[in-house]
């Protein structure tokens, strides 16, 4: 059904596309067909690993679309263009709506697809990528300007993020995204130290944060993230 809808829409979209649109009739067609193919794999009786890969790719595809639409929101305060509107409408109609935060007025990471991928994936690269996307997606959506002041984050959510980050570093030492994983995990340790109610917990998390920051600075001395971590650690340490 979605293929028929796409075919009917392309002609109309091409007539109404504006130069400033980030999405074109052709890219909308490609996205919708890709989503349909991935949904077909998810609904099939294929082995768990195939469905895990499809769920991972579906999450990444929707996140890619969200990023394009967020650029429009940042530039204009709203999503503009017929192509963008059609894409959002068709995704919703076919069971793949984009995650959106009314509070922040932005599209957010589509985390459920990564959680589903982890349920189906055996240990290996798919599980590693899904874990990283889940770790990263949640982290960057959890705060506005200051990572030490998450907007809404329960202790359980923070504990799960720390578990994910530690597992990625332990089980996949050659992970391509190890730098960013370590960066995120170090900040989560700082958040945990900041939230801790007991002195022993604060000391434990702060010690972990210091160890991760020291490792990061040594391993990635030229990274701008090293400066960020050092500044954040100084702030947290001053509060103890």
């Amino acid at each position: 059904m979605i293929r028929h809808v796409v075919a009917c829409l392309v002609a109309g979209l091409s007539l109404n596309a504006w130069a400033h649109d980030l999405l074109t009739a052709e890219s909308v067609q490609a996205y919708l067909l890709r989503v349909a193919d991935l949904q077909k794999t998810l609904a099939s009786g294929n082995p768990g690993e195939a469905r895990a890969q499809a769920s991972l790719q579906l999450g990444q595809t929707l996140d890619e679309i969200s990023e394009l639409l967020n650029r429009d929101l940042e530039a204009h305060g709203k999503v503009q263009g017929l192509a963008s509107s059609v894409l959002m409408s068709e995704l919703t109609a076919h069971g793949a709506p984009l995650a959106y935060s009314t509070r922040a007025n932005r599209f957010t990471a589509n985390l459920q697809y990564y959680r589903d991928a982890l349920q189906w994936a055996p240990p290996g690269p798919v599980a590693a990528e899904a874990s990283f996307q889940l770790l990263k997606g949640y982290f960057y959506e959890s705060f506005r300007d200051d990572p030490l002041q998450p907007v809404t984050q329960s202790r359980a959510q923070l504990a799960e993020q720390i578990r994910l980050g530690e597992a990625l570093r332990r089980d996949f030492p050659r992970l391509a995204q190890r730098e960013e994983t370590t960066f995120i995990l170090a900040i989560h340790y700082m958040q945990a130290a900041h939230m801790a109610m007991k002195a022993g917990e604060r000391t434990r998390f702060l010690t972990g944060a210091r160890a991760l920051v020291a490792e990061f600075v040594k391993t990635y001395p030229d990274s701008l993230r090293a400066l960020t971590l050092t500044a954040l650690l100084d702030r947290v340490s001053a509060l103890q």
Side-chain angles (χ1 to χ4, degrees):
M1 178 64 182
I2 195 170
R3 294 176 185 274
H4 175 70
V5 172
V6 167
C8 294
L9 290 171
V10 169
L13 288 177
S14 62
L15 294 175
N16 290 279
W18 294 87
H20 65 262
D21 286 344
L22 294 169
L23 288 161
T24 64
E26 291 75 17
S27 63
V28 167
Q29 179 183 32
Y31 277 130
L32 290 175
L33 292 177
R34 178 166 178 74
V35 168
D37 286 340
L38 293 170
Q39 287 179 318
K40 183 178 179 180
T41 300
L42 287 175
S44 71
N46 290 335
E49 186 170 5
R51 282 180 289 162
Q53 180 73 51
S55 191
L56 169 63
Q57 292 178 353
L58 184 51
Q60 291 173 314
T61 299
L62 295 179
D63 282 352
E64 183 178 314
I65 295 169
S66 295
E67 178 60 29
L68 292 174
L69 296 176
N70 279 334
R71 293 182 196 174
D72 218 5
L73 287 173
E74 291 165 5
H76 308 290
K78 63 180 181 179
V79 174
Q80 298 198 137
L82 179 59
S84 299
S85 297
V86 167
L87 179 55
M88 290 189 296
S89 176
E90 288 303 310
L91 288 173
T92 299
H94 292 87
L98 298 171
Y100 176 78
S101 169
T102 303
R103 171 189 56 77
N105 187 32
R106 61 178 281 109
F107 293 92
T108 59
N110 296 269
L111 301 179
Q112 188 57 50
Y113 295 98
Y114 304 129
R115 294 190 181 101
D116 291 344
L118 283 174
Q119 289 184 347
W120 290 318
V126 173
E129 183 65 25
S131 295
F132 173 72
Q133 293 296 335
L134 186 56
L135 178 78
K136 179 183 76 169
Y138 174 84
F139 172 71
Y140 289 111
E141 299 295 347
S142 67
F143 63 91
R144 293 177 182 171
D145 301 314
D146 184 356
L148 295 183
Q149 298 291 335
V151 177
T152 55
Q153 179 170 261
S154 68
R155 293 180 184 275
Q157 288 171 321
L158 180 56
E160 176 60 17
Q161 282 289 102
I162 290 175
R163 185 198 68 77
L164 266 177
E166 289 177 339
L168 273 170
R169 282 170 44 85
R170 180 187 66 243
D171 299 338
F172 304 97
R174 297 183 179 180
L175 183 73
Q177 303 92 345
R178 187 174 179 85
E179 176 184 343
E180 191 166 8
T181 297
T182 304
F183 173 77
I184 293 171
L185 182 59
I187 293 177
H188 279 320
Y189 265 94
M190 294 182 215
Q191 292 173 340
H194 189 50
M195 290 176 62
M197 301 298 293
K198 298 179 180 179
E201 286 185 344
R202 286 196 295 272
T203 299
R204 177 168 63 88
F205 285 122
L206 188 56
T207 298
R210 285 171 175 155
L212 285 167
V213 171
E215 176 190 324
F216 191 99
V217 170
K218 180 179 180 180
T219 307
Y220 312 104
D222 298 325
S223 172
L224 291 176
R225 291 182 175 128
L227 297 176
T228 300
L229 287 179
T230 300
L232 291 174
L233 184 60
D234 287 345
R235 282 180 54 199
V236 174
S237 298
L239 296 173
Q240 303 308 306

